[in-house]
Amino acid sequence: METTPVVRSAEDREAIRQRFLLVDTSNVADVLDTLGLFNQGLSSVLTPYPASSGKLAGWAYTIRGQMSPYELGGDPDKMKACSGVSTGDVTVWSGDGEGVCYFGELIAIGMKERGCVGSLVDGGIRDIRWIAEQDFPVFARYRTPVQSIARWKVNGWQVPVSVRGATSQWVTVRPGDFVLGDEDGVLVIPNDMVDTVLVEAERLTEKERLIRTELQQGLSLAEALAKYGHV
C-alpha cells in the first residue's frame, strides 16, 4: 500500500538524522521486526567503500537507470537528477547496470555541496580513494574503473526503486524513506514509521548500555538476561 510521506521541516529532518547516527542497525532491525516489517534489510553485497567510509544515515533520494548504449558525451538526465538533492539526503542508486560505475568522485563532490550526506549504490562506483577524502560515506555493490557514459543512463529519479534485499529478493525504497548503514549492513525505514522506529531503537540502545555497564561491574550474563530479558 502506498503511503503519503510525512512532511517534516528541515530542522526536524536533521534532528532525526543526528539521533539515528547514535543507534546501531542491529537495534533498528529488531524494532522493525517487532513492528512486522520483516524485509527492510538490504543485501550484504552492499558494503562500505572504503571499509572506513563511516555511518550512512539520511533521507532517501532515489535515482534509477539502465544499460542503454549511446554516444559518448555525458548523461544530462544524471545531472538533472543530482541537481535535486538537498540537505540530509542519501542518494539511492538502482537499476540494471552491470560492470559500470554509476558515479565517481566529481558527482560525489557535487552532491556533497548540495548537502547530500552519502550514497547507497546497488551498482558500481569508482574513484574510491578520492571519495574517501571527501568524508562522504558510500555503500555499494561493487567497484569498477569502467565509466557509465555510453553504457548506462539515468531514466528516473524521486520514484520508488528496487534494491537487493537481505531476506527478500528486493526491497522497495521510496523517496523520503530513511536509510541507515553501519558495519553490520544497511536498512531502509519506511517514511511513515521513522519516528516510531527511532524512539524504540533509542530505548533499546539505552537498555544495552545499561546491560554492558552492569556486565563490566560483575553481573553475569545469566543474571543480565533474567533482569533485562532478551536483547
Side-chain angles (χ1 to χ4, degrees), residues 6-178:
V6 177
V7 177
R8 299 177 175 88
S9 68
E11 292 77 11
D12 285 345
R13 278 168 46 102
E14 182 58 18
I16 290 170
R17 197 181 77 82
Q18 290 296 327
R19 287 166 63 190
F20 266 114
L21 285 168
L22 300 177
V23 299
D24 296 334
T25 56
S26 56
N27 284 335
V28 174
D30 290 354
V31 172
L32 289 167
D33 277 354
T34 64
L35 295 172
L37 299 170
F38 296 111
N39 296 308
Q40 298 305 122
L42 301 186
S43 172
S44 60
V45 300
L46 294 160
T47 55
Y49 286 92
S52 58
S53 177
K55 198 162 188 175
L56 186 66
W59 304 90
Y61 180 100
T62 62
I63 301 174
R64 184 188 65 203
Q66 68 181 52
M67 298 299 285
S68 180
Y70 59 99
E71 294 183 1
L72 289 170
D75 181 357
D77 283 337
K78 181 186 284 189
M79 297 302 102
K80 290 179 184 177
C82 292
S83 69
V85 175
S86 60
T87 300
D89 285 344
V90 164
T91 51
V92 179
W93 299 72
S94 71
D96 66 356
E98 292 296 338
V100 300
C101 80
Y102 291 9
F103 81 97
E105 175 197 12
L106 296 183
I107 289 181
I109 290 173
M111 291 189 299
K112 184 179 178 181
E113 288 174 347
R114 300 187 64 84
C116 183
V117 293
S119 290
L120 172 69
V121 186
D122 193 354
I125 63 168
R126 69 179 188 178
D127 304 327
I128 295 168
R129 173 162 54 104
W130 303 112
I131 293 174
E133 292 190 3
Q134 296 298 320
D135 190 26
F136 188 82
V138 177
F139 282 64
R141 182 156 52 95
Y142 61 85
R143 80 273 190 272
T144 175
V146 180
Q147 67 177 347
S148 62
I149 294 174
R151 300 180 175 94
W152 185 86
K153 286 177 67 70
V154 167
N155 63 7
W157 56 95
Q158 287 300 75
V159 294
V161 299
S162 296
V163 178
R164 285 164 176 77
T167 57
S168 59
Q169 184 175 6
W170 301 101
V171 174
T172 299
V173 184
R174 296 176 174 82
D177 288 349
F178 198 89

Side-chain angles (χ1 to χ4, degrees), residues 181-198:
D182 60 18
E183 300 88 347
D184 290 336
V186 189
L187 298 165
V188 176
I189 303 155
N191 180 279
D192 62 332
M193 298 300 294
V194 164
D195 299 279
T196 299
V197 170
L198 177 56

